[in-house]
Amino acid sequence: MPYGPKGAPNRIGPNLFGVVGRKAGTLASYSYSSAMTKSGIVWGADTLPHYLIGPANIVPGTKMTFAGLPNQQQADDMVAYLATLK
Ligand code: HEM
């Protein structure tokens, strides 16, 4: 689940503080799938909503076992929220 207090520990997924604008798979304290680290994606308004709607479509092999948010509006809203975590 999205989780992003500054400096908080990683859980099943990585802490999402500062994730908007960051290159995928680069939080040093978290052990990502190789799919994520090799994706080359930069998380922004153009990329992150697509990932949140269909994680495995955008990053095949990701270990984020989440079916995805139901629509573009919810994905855009989530990205707007994540952008406040900085
Ligand atoms: C709307 C809900 C969610 C959002 C906004 C979200 C967001 C994200 C983002 C942006 C990343 C990439 C982080 C980075 O590159 O540093 C990520 C990775 C990850 N998330 Fe989620 N996530 C959600 C739901 C979940 C759920 C439900 C789970 C667990 C069941 C989960 C587990 C993970 C895992 C394990 C990764 C690492 C993926 C990998 O290395 O391939 N996430 N998440």
Side-chain angles (χ1 to χ4, degrees):
M1 295 299 289
Y3 180 69
K6 185 176 185 180
N10 301 307
R11 292 186 173 176
I12 293 175
N15 184 330
L16 297 177
F17 184 89
V19 73
V20 175
R22 188 163 78 200
K23 193 175 174 200
T26 55
L27 189 65
S29 60
Y30 184 77
S31 183
Y32 293 92
S33 66
S34 58
M36 186 62 75
T37 55
K38 289 177 185 163
S39 71
I41 294 170
V42 176
W43 295 128
D46 52 340
T47 55
L48 195 39
H50 300 296
Y51 175 71
L52 297 181
I53 290 169
N57 296 334
I58 303 303
V59 183
T62 181
K63 62 177 185 173
M64 176 158 143
T65 52
F66 177 52
L69 293 175
N71 58 52
Q72 185 76 38
Q73 185 63 55
Q74 288 200 21
D76 288 345
D77 288 349
M78 179 59 79
V79 172
Y81 166 68
L82 292 172
T84 70
L85 304 178
K86 64 185 178 187

